[in-house]
């Protein structure tokens, strides 16, 4: 059992797993160890559903109902956090395509009203390839088999069904043609409205034999089509 906010309420059925609360993000995670636990029904009892990551959360640790906590199924528990960025004090481990963390064009650090979770977020827009992207620092994944990227995003004026943004990686980030897609998020298929969504992506990196960078790239219609990114956690097992 775990009482991460000290209100006397235990967050997990004993023997099922552990509830963790991230004091930086205010997010709860339930680490389920037994498929038979009642709390596992939030993933519909299906491992493939659970590995997709957070499900139906407001992202706040105010209690223990399904609407308030994120429930994630973790097959293993020895995950290592490689980076965490909330962008409150700058770009953190992220940069623009030119390696800079200054200026505001197709990639920008902003505090637009209603488009941040705490205070600041990163914004990408348009469809200008590298310029419409934000880049992580170099990630040494030699000791790991699975990379997990968890973040919040807010689509703004992404109105057409072909507008999307994409998570990619590269072992040679200076070559813009070297990027490999990990996953895309497409209007209507993955999001609909201007609100905050949480997403988590796992990717097998066992065949990658060099350090990588990841990037989030906007592929939309024009400068009015924007994606805001916040609270990015990159971890590996």
């Amino acid at each position: 059992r775990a009482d991460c906010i000290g209100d006397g309420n235990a967050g997990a059925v004993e023997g099922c797993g552990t509830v963790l609360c991230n004091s930086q993000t205010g997010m709860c995670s339930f680490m389920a160890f037994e498929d038979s636990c009642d709390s596992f029904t939030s993933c519909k009892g299906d491992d493939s559903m659970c590995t997709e990551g957070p499900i139906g959360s407001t992202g706040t640790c105010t209690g223990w109902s399904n609407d308030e906590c994120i429930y994630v199924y973790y097959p293993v528990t020895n995950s290592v956090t490689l980076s965490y960025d909330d962008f409150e004090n700058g770009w953190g481990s992220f940069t623009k395509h030119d390696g800079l963390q200054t200026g505001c064009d197709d990639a920008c650090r902003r505090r637009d009203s209603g488009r941040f979770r705490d205070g600041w977020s990163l914004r990408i827009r348009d469809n200008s390839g590298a310029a419409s992207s934000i880049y992580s620092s170099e990630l040494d994944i030699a000791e790991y088999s699975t990379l997990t990227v968890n973040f919040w995003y807010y689509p703004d004026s992404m109105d057409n069904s072909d507008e999307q943004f994409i998570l990619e990686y590269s072992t040679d980030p200076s070559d813009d043609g070297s990027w490999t897609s990990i996953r895309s998020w497409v209007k209507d298929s993955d999001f609909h409205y201007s609100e905050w969504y949480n997403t988590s992506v796992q990717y097998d990196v066992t065949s990658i034999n060099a350090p990588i960078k990841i990037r989030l790239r906007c592929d939309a219609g024009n400068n009015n089509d924007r994606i805001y990114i916040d609270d990015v956690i990159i971890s590996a097992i």
Side-chain angles (χ1 to χ4, degrees):
R1 293 174 183 268
D3 177 13
C4 73
I5 59 173
D7 65 354
N9 294 316
V13 179
E14 192 163 14
C16 291
T18 304
V19 170
L20 302 178
C21 183
N22 187 319
S23 60
Q24 292 178 303
T25 64
M27 297 184 343
C28 298
S29 295
F30 178 72
M31 303 179 74
F33 306 134
E34 298 293 334
D35 293 7
S36 60
C37 295
D38 292 341
S39 55
F40 195 79
T41 59
S42 63
C43 294
K44 299 182 175 61
D46 182 348
D47 283 12
S48 65
M49 294 271 307
C50 296
T51 54
E52 292 300 316
I55 295 176
S57 170
T58 62
T60 56
C61 285
T62 57
W64 296 115
S65 74
N66 287 342
D67 293 332
E68 294 166 329
C69 284
I70 298 171
Y71 289 75
V72 187
Y73 175 65
Y74 289 90
V76 294
T77 60
N78 59 340
S79 176
V80 175
T81 299
L82 304 180
S83 66
Y84 166 75
D85 294 294
D86 62 7
F87 312 117
E88 294 307 297
N89 298 306
W91 284 69
S93 61
F94 280 80
T95 67
K96 299 195 297 183
H97 70 101
D98 53 11
L100 298 178
Q101 297 179 323
T102 58
C104 192
D105 36 52
D106 285 341
C108 185
R109 177 175 173 261
R110 295 187 63 90
R111 195 176 184 177
D112 293 339
S113 177
R115 293 164 178 80
F116 53 83
R117 298 193 64 243
D118 301 307
W120 293 83
S121 60
L122 297 188
R123 187 263 292 142
I124 49 179
R125 70 183 185 189
D126 199 17
N127 58 0
S128 301
S132 296
S133 306
I134 54 173
Y135 294 73
S136 76
S137 58
E138 187 174 84
L139 304 169
D140 186 355
I141 56 171
E143 299 179 5
Y144 306 109
S145 60
T146 302
L147 187 74
T148 300
V149 183
N150 185 298
F151 61 93
W152 291 80
Y153 68 93
Y154 183 103
D156 186 25
S157 297
M158 302 280 283
D159 301 322
N160 298 321
S161 59
D162 61 342
E163 292 179 329
Q164 62 181 332
F165 70 102
I166 306 160
L167 175 66
E168 302 170 306
Y169 82 89
S170 176
T171 58
D172 183 16
S174 62
D175 178 5
D176 196 53
S178 70
W179 291 87
T180 299
S181 175
I182 296 176
R183 193 197 149 169
S184 61
W185 290 262
V186 184
K187 172 68 168 68
D188 292 334
S189 297
D190 298 289
F191 59 85
H192 301 281
Y193 308 109
S194 293
E195 61 183 71
W196 282 102
Y197 296 83
N198 185 251
T199 189
S200 187
V201 180
Q202 292 183 317
Y203 191 72
D204 185 349
V205 293
T206 52
S207 62
I208 303 174
N209 300 313
I212 66 170
K213 285 189 176 185
I214 65 166
R215 74 178 182 182
L216 286 161
R217 175 172 60 88
C218 186
D219 182 20
N222 54 56
N223 285 348
N224 293 323
D225 303 319
R226 300 171 287 251
I227 296 290
Y228 292 82
I229 305 293
D230 208 353
D231 292 325
V232 182
I233 304 171
I234 303 174
S235 59
I237 55 175

